Structures are given as C-alpha cells and as structure tokens.
Amino acid sequence: MSTPWKSRYAQRTQRMGRSIIRELLKFTQQPDIISFAGGLPAPELFPLAECEAAACRLLNTHGTAALQYGPTEGYPPLRRFICDRMARYGIRAEPGNVLITSGAQQALDLVGKMLINPGDRVLVEEPTYLGALQAWNAYQADYVAVPQDDDGLRTELLEGALRVGPKFIYVLPNFQNPGGTTLSLERRFDLVRLANKYGIPLVEDDPYGALRFEGEHLPPLIALDADHQGDAPSNGHGYMAGNVIYLGTFSKTLAPGLRLGWVVAPVEVVEQLVMMKQGTDLQTSSFDQMLAYEMVKDGFMDEHIRAIRKVYGERRDVMLAALERYFPEGCSWTRPQGGLFLWARVPEWIDTGDLMAEAVQAQVAYVPGFAFYPDATRGRNTMRLNFSNAGPAQMEEGIRRLGNLLKAKVAEHDRLHAVAA
Ligand SMILES: Cc1ncc(COP(=O)(O)O)c(C=O)c1O
C-alpha cells in the first residue's frame, strides 16, 4: 500500500503554501515573457572572467582544501574579509561574530529555527520579504505587522505593537524588498531605542545596502545599536553583547548562484546558530566560499559594485519614466534610491492577483503585492516590480503592456459607472 503522505506530514507543513514566487518564476522561463517578477540580478553583469580565473587559481593552489569539508562557521579568510568590509559601514565585527551561510535565505531559516516557538509573534514591516514569511511559517510563527510609508517602517506605531510582546523585530532598512523604501535616520534611531527599551531583538536584513545609486548612505541598525549600548566586551575573537542580528549576502553583488550569505551577531548567538546550521548542512560549500574569496581578496568588489550601481540606477530611471508614460491616472509608485525593486499601487478596485492571468497572456509578469503581507487579504491593489533584470527596451515594452492592461480596466470601470449613473 502506498503511503498517504499528507497524513504523515508534520503540523508545521500546514502553514507552508506553495511559493507564489516559484510559481511565477516558472513563467519567467518562457522565452517571450518580460518579467518584472523575480529578484534576479542582471546576468550580463556576472563576473564570468574573474570567476573563471579565480577558479583556476584556486584549484591550482588550494584545490584539495576547496573540495574538502570545512568549519561550520565558514572559511576563515572570508570571515575576516567580511569583517573588514562591514567596518566600512561602521560595523565593528570580529571573525567570531561572523557565520557564513548558504545565502541570506538560510540565515533567515536558522534565525527562525533558533528563535521561534509555535505561536510566537514576529514583528514585521507591512509589506515584508516573502521569503522570510515562508521560512518562518514553517516554524509556525504568527505576525504583528506594522505599516510602512516612503520613509520605511512607521516607528510612531511601533510602541503599541511592541507591547504585544513579539519575539523579535524583522526589518529591511535599505531599499526594502518589496517596497523599495529606505528607513530614515530618525526612524533608525527610534527603532534601536525602542527595541532596547522593550528588550526585543532586531533582525536586520540588508541584501541591498551596497547598491545605492543616489543619496547619502545611512548607518545600519547594528552600528547604531552598538553606539546605543556602548562598547561591548570582546572575548578576543568577537564582541559578546548586542541586540541586533545582521544578515548580508553576496547574491546581489557577486552572483546568487554562489549561495553565499553571512550573519553578524554577538558570539553566543553565532555559536547557537552554528549548532542549528550543523543539523541543516554542516557547512556552506568550501569551494564556493574559497572561490568568492579568491575573486574579491584583491579589491575587485569595489569596481564591480560601482558597475552594478550604474546599470541598476539607469534601469530604475527607465522604469520610472515608463511608469510615468504608460500607467493610467490613479496609480502611484515608490522611487527607490537603490536596490532592485519598486512598489506600485493601482486603483483600489483592481486586484493585482486576478490581473496576473491577463498579464501573463500579454507576456509580462510581476509579483502581486498580497504575497508580501502576512494577511493576504491586504495589499490586493499593489505589485512589486523588479528593475534589475530586463534591459531598457524590454522594460519600456513590459511597462507599456502592463499600462495597457490597467488602462483597459480603468476604461471598463468608468463605462460601468457611467451606465450605473
Ligand atoms: C530581503 C531579502 N532577504 C534575503 C534574501 C535571500 O538572499 P540570498 O540569495 O542571499 O539567499 C533576499 C533575496 O532576494 C532578499 O530580498
């Protein structure tokens, strides 16, 4: 008799719907579709030549180590490199504060595994990163959602939400996914102060911070928290106290296929995460870590990030101009200063989830906004648009197609209203 598998699945699977992102990414594989759906970097910017040269050097010099098991914490020179890089942003980490993960996505999962009991509440921005909700749904989290505006999380609404007693606060201060918004300096201070006042840890997810095309860099929460706390003692390998777990990744600055991310946190948190990670995958690929280090160790990152910023900044401008030209009245959108996404609102009687079927027929894709809300009945008239992946001509055409669909909806709505009147 074959097993009725569903009856065997653990309770935690009941909260795990199919990923809408994965379903949508299937469409993006179709050759003619113009996709604003994924968070895919521009493939033409991948450093292929540097990667090839680094792989040859690596295999010739440290080939056996690259193919061998390594420490769960990560490849020591890469951890040191990350500390040096983080120092530029005012983050005073030592190697004992760094854990290399298989992408920031794994870090989100490990954080959930470490902190969430069934029914614990996580305070999130509304909307927030879908991948975090997915990871934490598996640990049976509940959510307290606090809305954001153009300056990010509305910290003036935070105190009420903190009194509910969330286990931790999850924020994306820079060029938020999906909102494209950046948390203002004043709100960063407020957030750090309130998190400390209520003794609630912050998880700061920052995949896009290095990809700023305009405006002033703002200090990360982890650096503001360290200032707030005063200098934490170190055990010689890393600092010991602090209220923030910071997540970074090479996915948007080198290549997502490497699956390399990292956590910066107090030593005791890193040690706990190491234990969680051992049960998951023992370690992140030695080869990938050593390859990335070989690519970046002599200063390649700066020049490469400059090139990425330039291209994404230009693409953002193309998308903004196309939205202005083709979207009907009654729509609005954010104007991100960096990152990969912007967030559009359409008239509230248009459901972007329903519109998706027509969009796919018109060979254009986006992510319906409700996917980024813990309560999927909200955000029904919003969409996330990615501007890093499609080239300028395709982007213009894709926004024109979407604009035409929206204009047809508006015309139909106006006609029905005229008839009713
Ligand atoms: C906010 C956010 N966190 C985490 C991730 C996961 O990144 P990684 O490729 O490093 O797993 C992404 C990917 O798009 C993201 O947007």
Side-chain angles (χ1 to χ4, degrees), residues 377-418:
T377 62
R378 296 173 56 73
R380 303 295 314 192
N381 65 324
T382 57
M383 60 174 77
R384 188 191 73 177
L385 296 170
N386 165 269
F387 53 77
S388 60
N389 192 241
Q394 266 201 320
M395 185 158 352
E396 166 109 10
E397 173 57 18
I399 295 295
R400 190 185 68 79
R401 290 181 196 173
L402 263 182
N404 284 345
L405 284 177
L406 292 168
K407 281 178 189 157
K409 291 277 166 217
V410 171
E412 189 188 327
H413 185 261
D414 288 353
R415 193 176 53 76
L416 287 174
H417 265 72

Side-chain angles (χ1 to χ4, degrees), residues 103-105 108 129 172 177 205 207-208 249 251-252 259:
Q105 187 64 38
L108 290 168
Y129 173 53
L172 297 92
N177 178 3
D205 192 1
Y208 308 107
T249 179
S251 283
K252 316 296 171 174
R259 307 307 304 127

